[in-house]
Amino acid sequence: MQRLLYILMIGILCYSCDDGDVFEVTLEFDDTFETCGSLVLFKTKDSPPESLSIQLQGRTIDEFLEVGDDNVFTQTYEFSSNSNAFNYRTYSTAPDPDFVFCNDIPPANIDIIVDSESSSGTATVTTILVEDDDDGIPADLEGRGAQAEDGSYPDAIDTDNDGIPNYLDVDDDGDNVLTTAENPEYTEEDGLANAQDTDNDGIPDYLDNDDDDDGIPTRDEESINADNNPLNDVTNPDIGADYLNDEVMISVPATAFIEHPIQQTYTISIFVENIQIPNLTQDELDFGTLNDSSITNDTRIGEPVFN
């Protein structure tokens, strides 16, 4: 009799382990997420077919890009039954994000096995904006200096005094020739040791407003095409543009600066806390960073002061 009772107890335990209501879930997804629609943020995987999603009511992705003076945006959103939501779902087959999350009316043939919504918790969104002139020279080597508490760089060097510091300036010396066109020749091994210096005065061309040392500012050497572009004024093709030829000393004063685009990169990340989903083994989650270059990459035009 005792042996039979033992066998029955083992059977009951085995049955409980197979019961679909008794399971544990650990959220293991890639470290990026996507977005679409009325601010649905989601991530999916094929094996096993699962998804995580965050829906923030009355919000837009543009809100995340409204960084402050310190180039940072941060906001915490609470999940509730009638507002923002955090969902974990499983499917019979791998979910297609375009159909599951990016349609106003999802197709009827989506086979969702488990759809669990957190009864509480928060999602903290943090955006960090990094700006750069994309000239191939690291910002720290362009005199950016130390960062202040407000996120600014008060000691940043501005060689041409145009109001745009060198680390954001596509034309550091204000000669209307892009820094990249003046061959700074930066490498990790040699730094800027091999930067082009046409007149050998110890000042590399990208910081020298008179590259050939003929007394005429580079941006004013436009005797052929007065279009604020010294690159296309060439008297002697064997030497190159007139601003590199110290035998040509004709001055046609420039009237404006060339356009100054500044590259912007936004890193949008989300951290979820106090998750309350049945059988979930964790209560917080690094949701990852947004993977959408059409949102996270942008360009603004700097407004240099012509002098």
Side-chain angles (χ1 to χ4, degrees), residues 110-141:
I110 295 178
D111 189 2
I112 300 175
I113 298 174
V114 174
D115 187 357
S116 297
E117 180 177 334
S118 181
S119 58
S120 64
T122 61
T124 299
V125 179
T126 301
T127 301
I128 299 175
L129 169 62
V130 174
E131 294 190 315
D132 193 73
D133 53 11
D134 201 25
D135 63 1
I137 305 174
D140 290 340
L141 295 183

Side-chain angles (χ1 to χ4, degrees), residues 193-209:
N194 298 316
Q196 178 177 297
D197 180 8
T198 298
D199 55 13
N200 295 309
D201 63 352
I203 303 173
D205 286 0
Y206 79 94
L207 296 177
D208 193 340
N209 62 10

Side-chain angles (χ1 to χ4, degrees), residues 127-161:
T127 301
I128 299 175
L129 169 62
V130 174
E131 294 190 315
D132 193 73
D133 53 11
D134 201 25
D135 63 1
I137 305 174
D140 290 340
L141 295 183
E142 294 200 86
R144 184 172 60 176
Q147 188 176 28
E149 290 184 2
D150 63 358
S152 66
Y153 294 90
D155 299 322
I157 294 174
D158 180 9
T159 297
D160 54 10
N161 295 310

Side-chain angles (χ1 to χ4, degrees), residues 253-276:
T255 58
F257 278 135
I258 56 176
E259 189 175 77
H260 281 53
I262 297 173
Q263 305 301 316
Q264 298 180 302
T265 302
Y266 295 87
T267 300
I268 303 175
S269 59
I270 299 179
F271 193 78
V272 182
E273 296 179 278
N274 300 319
I275 304 170
Q276 297 294 324

